Amino acid sequence: MKTLITSSLLLLLAGSAWAKAPNILFILADDQSWSGTSVRMMPNEAGSASREFHTPNLEKLAAQGMTFSQAYAAHCKCECSRAAIQMGRSTSTLNATDKNARNWSAPVTDSLVNTLKKADGTYRAAHFGKWQWFHTPESMGYDASDGITMNEDGDTTDPEDPKQSFSITQRAGAFMESQVKEGHPFFLQLSYYAVHQTPQALAATLKKYEGMADASKGGRGDRAVMAAMTEDLDTCVGAVLKKLDDLGITENTLVIYTSDNGGRTSLLNGGKGDLGEGGIREPMIIRVPGIKGGVNCTTPVISYDLMATVLDFAAPGFVLPKGVEGGSWKPLLISAGKAPVKRPIDRFVWHQAVEVEHPQSAIRRGDYKLLYFWDTKEGLLFDVVKDLGETHDLAKQTPDIAARLQAELKAHIRAGIGEQASAALERGEFPQGRGPGKGKGPGSKKKDGKKMVK
């Protein structure tokens, strides 16, 4: 009863803190791993942050807001993850499970920004940076954008604007200034091209990292340039936050920082392109005016929760489009991580059948995650709270849980991509000519004694 009263009081106080419709600043990094910043996503786990990359502005943001140790991307690849964010549902439900998907199950009129404008027509919206889909930003409700842009658009020849990070930041500042002058609340999404390959950085920043080991000894790209590119991105984040201060709107602006998918880390299994924790767990920091800072939240959240969250802050009580699967983070944020996130379906589902050796799907419910491989018909069960690196398969130890999750996973996938496509997966017929993987499946791939997803 005491907890209920406290939560209700917090909700009341937070609601009264917003004198007018709040601004939402959503910053999306590209391919930044869970440990790709100098902010620890788990306070007591050194490996949840980078010792090489320096992101002082994100450290400051974390001190003012909340970090999430179990934040997930909707997909392990850029395009699908971005589609889920815009549409508020899992990629399989949206039928957008690969970059060539064209027959989405929801109309763009139901997108996040279009829905926000239906709820409150005074909002203006902008998207700057990487887009990566055939639908235009304008069709999804954005008033200003860079249009349809791809990975290669981020690579520049301007030494003062590596990865377009600084020009994106300038456009963001101009947009915010314009909205303040005109009296409009805004939703601003900054989809930086950093830290996607190929790395680019300012010469002055790169000089700080001279002597750093080259990634040719165990990775892609020059490690020093990656570190410098990450710091340049952080510098731009700092500039955007300073612009909020300069415009006098910091106390009425919700700031969300995260990545579109994960990457290789020292702790997590797998990386970009697969459904190990490395590929889908991502950094996340959120700052809410009037809410206590320096808090770490262990509640699992997922990027397609964004639509429900934005609408809950901007237009509480507005009915979301049918089929939206995300839940609002607002109660979680204002209760210092104690209140639950309520979703229509309390599970996370991922599907990745292309550009990977073993076509795979995954489901997380509670602390358990089932990783299923369509070519080997192998289901691996992990307790990802106790077993962060997914090293101990519990499928044989708890076969009832594994079977229940596998059935639920397949039903979710089938409902999203359709009976025909689902039946083809069961027969071993994979998109884009993908056949069965080599060897015995993921269990045959090991690194440092750990089972690795390939």
Side-chain angles (χ1 to χ4, degrees), residues 40 52 87 121 130 173 197 199 209-210 228 241 264 286 361 375 423:
R40 289 190 184 186
E52 300 174 309
M87 300 304 296
K130 177 175 167 179
Q197 296 289 329
Y209 296 92
E210 287 180 350
L241 298 180
R264 295 280 171 187
I286 302 179
S361 299
D375 56 342

Side-chain angles (χ1 to χ4, degrees), residues 7 19 28 35 54 93 107 143 166 169 187 208-209 251 254 267 274 297 310 322 327 333 345 369 381 384-385 450:
S7 297
L28 187 66
S35 58
H54 302 294
T93 295
D143 302 289
F166 294 89
T169 302
F187 175 85
K208 298 180 183 180
Y209 296 92
E251 293 306 314
L254 175 70
L267 294 178
D274 64 52
C297 179
V310 168
K322 183 179 179 181
L333 289 163
I345 302 174
K369 175 185 170 187
L381 180 67
V384 290
V385 173
K450 293 183 179 180

Side-chain angles (χ1 to χ4, degrees), residues 26-296:
F26 177 49
I27 304 174
L28 187 66
D30 195 353
D31 286 4
Q32 191 166 58
S33 72
W34 184 61
S35 58
T37 77
S38 55
V39 178
R40 289 190 184 186
M41 293 300 115
M42 296 177 68
N44 298 321
E45 180 53 74
S48 66
S50 174
R51 290 178 295 178
E52 300 174 309
F53 298 174
H54 302 294
T55 55
N57 290 296
L58 289 179
E59 290 179 20
K60 181 179 178 181
L61 185 66
Q64 297 169 339
M66 182 181 290
T67 58
F68 291 76
S69 62
Q70 299 191 71
Y72 286 96
H75 199 267
C76 57
K77 295 294 290 292
C78 305
E79 296 88 354
C80 307
S81 177
R82 291 162 189 268
I85 288 171
Q86 297 299 327
M87 300 304 296
R89 58 202 79 202
S90 66
T91 60
S92 52
T93 295
L94 184 59
N95 196 27
T97 57
D98 67 73
K99 62 185 177 184
N100 296 314
R102 293 293 181 271
N103 187 27
W104 289 8
S105 62
V108 294
T109 51
D110 284 351
S111 71
L112 188 162
V113 173
N114 280 328
T115 303
L116 175 61
K117 288 184 173 182
K118 291 174 188 175
D120 185 341
T122 65
Y123 270 91
R124 298 294 180 265
H127 180 282
F128 299 121
K130 177 175 167 179
W131 182 252
Q132 204 83 355
W133 269 111
F134 61 98
H135 290 301
T136 65
E138 287 70 27
S139 72
M140 291 197 182
Y142 290 97
D143 302 289
S145 77
D146 294 336
I148 296 176
T149 57
M150 309 300 282
N151 285 322
E152 54 269 23
D153 291 306
D155 299 331
T156 70
T157 57
D158 183 353
E160 300 302 316
D161 189 26
K163 301 303 280 189
Q164 280 200 49
S165 293
F166 294 89
S167 57
I168 288 172
T169 302
Q170 291 168 357
R171 291 194 289 279
F175 173 80
M176 291 190 293
E177 186 171 344
S178 176
Q179 302 319 306
V180 170
K181 286 181 179 179
E182 296 174 11
H184 290 293
F186 61 80
F187 175 85
L188 173 59
Q189 179 171 338
L190 302 183
S191 295
Y192 286 99
Y193 295 95
V195 294
H196 194 284
Q197 296 289 329
T198 303
Q200 294 182 328
L202 293 174
T205 313
L206 181 57
K207 191 172 180 62
K208 298 180 183 180
Y209 296 92
E210 287 180 350
M212 181 178 286
D214 191 280
S216 61
K217 300 176 182 178
R220 291 181 58 198
D222 188 299
R223 193 72 174 164
V225 186
M226 286 294 295
M229 177 169 61
T230 300
E231 184 171 330
D232 283 345
L233 173 60
D234 181 78
T235 297
C236 290
V237 170
V240 175
L241 298 180
K242 183 178 183 301
K243 188 67 174 181
L244 296 178
D245 292 338
D246 293 344
L247 292 171
I249 57 174
T250 298
E251 293 306 314
N252 198 53
T253 303
L254 175 70
V255 179
I256 303 168
Y257 179 92
T258 191
S259 176
D260 61 347
N261 52 254
R264 295 280 171 187
T265 78
S266 62
L267 294 178
L268 305 179
N269 174 34
K272 177 183 177 180
D274 64 52
L275 299 179
E277 290 289 285
I280 54 178
R281 196 178 288 214
E282 58 188 4
M284 183 178 285
I285 306 169
I286 302 179
R287 186 179 74 184
V288 182
I291 302 303
K292 180 182 177 182
V295 175
N296 179 264

